[in-house]
Amino acid sequence: MRARLITRAGFEALKAEMEHLWRVERPEVTRKVTWAASLGDRSENADYQYNKKRLREIDRRFRYLERRSRELQVVDYSPEQEGRVFFGAWVEVENEDGMARRFRIVGYDELDLDKRFISIDSPMARALLKKQVDDEALVQTPEGPATWYVTDIQYEKPELAD
């Protein structure tokens, strides 16, 4: 099985979610389950049933994230990437009609269209890999090929320690 790529920021967010689930949400829900169980008949106790279900959801999500974190390969910024589109790049493109788009190329586990993150496996990302500013990228779409021009490439660089 090949490793799945993730940016450093994406990996840190995954770890933060795991930490929150384990240290904040799970103990809180466990207290509620214990309290609800102390009230007696559990079969008609909505608090008990709801929180028991929530506890299972938290445990399932935590196990999933833990398993995923072992399969992920963190890709950090490297100065050799400058000037070309690679994993983790913020890319600005423009088509022949002047329509501009800006997005970041990330791994599957980081997809978030609201943040303008697209998958490294998407047709757009595949067409843009290794391109430079002013290069043309031919993207295969359901409507047919579309031409986009790279207008800017940026990377999130790590903070240097003082």
Side-chain angles (χ1 to χ4, degrees):
M1 179 172 77
R2 74 179 183 137
R4 295 227 179 239
L5 304 179
I6 192 168
T7 63
R8 174 68 55 192
F11 190 72
E12 295 303 325
L14 184 142
K15 289 293 194 184
E17 181 181 353
M18 287 176 64
E19 183 78 12
H20 180 77
L21 286 171
W22 194 254
R23 300 210 185 272
V24 177
E25 283 194 53
R26 193 173 197 290
E28 181 181 313
V29 173
T30 301
R31 279 191 296 281
K32 290 177 183 177
V33 167
T34 303
W35 171 80
S38 72
L39 299 177
D41 185 8
R42 296 176 187 169
S43 65
E44 294 182 19
N45 187 330
D47 276 334
Y48 177 81
Q49 291 176 356
Y50 170 79
N51 286 298
K52 196 72 170 157
K53 179 180 181 245
R54 180 66 187 130
L55 194 57
R56 286 190 301 271
E57 291 167 354
I58 290 169
D59 288 345
R60 185 173 27 255
R61 177 72 178 158
F62 184 83
R63 282 191 309 271
Y64 170 77
L65 293 173
E66 190 174 47
R67 194 170 46 253
R68 286 301 282 169
S69 69
R70 289 192 300 263
E71 299 169 355
L72 295 171
Q73 177 183 344
V74 177
V75 177
D76 287 314
Y77 164 78
S78 171
E80 290 84 34
Q81 294 172 299
E82 284 298 326
R84 291 194 177 271
V85 177
F86 290 105
F87 185 84
W90 279 100
V91 184
E92 198 168 303
V93 294
E94 188 174 305
N95 69 9
E96 294 163 336
D97 298 329
M99 181 189 311
R101 298 276 188 263
R102 184 172 191 271
F103 46 80
R104 187 172 191 202
I105 299 174
V106 298
Y108 172 80
D109 295 276
E110 298 175 85
L111 287 181
D112 188 337
L113 296 180
D114 292 337
K115 292 181 179 178
R116 298 178 313 208
F117 288 0
I118 66 168
S119 170
I120 183 77
D121 297 320
S122 69
M124 177 66 89
R126 289 284 177 209
L128 289 170
L129 285 178
K130 299 182 182 177
K131 300 287 189 219
Q132 300 178 62
V133 171
D134 295 330
D135 280 356
E136 179 180 298
L138 189 62
V139 181
Q140 297 302 324
T141 71
E143 295 81 32
T147 303
W148 291 85
Y149 301 93
V150 179
T151 58
D152 190 38
I153 305 166
Q154 296 178 353
Y155 287 93
E156 292 182 6
K157 297 171 181 84
E159 299 291 323
L160 298 176
D162 291 331

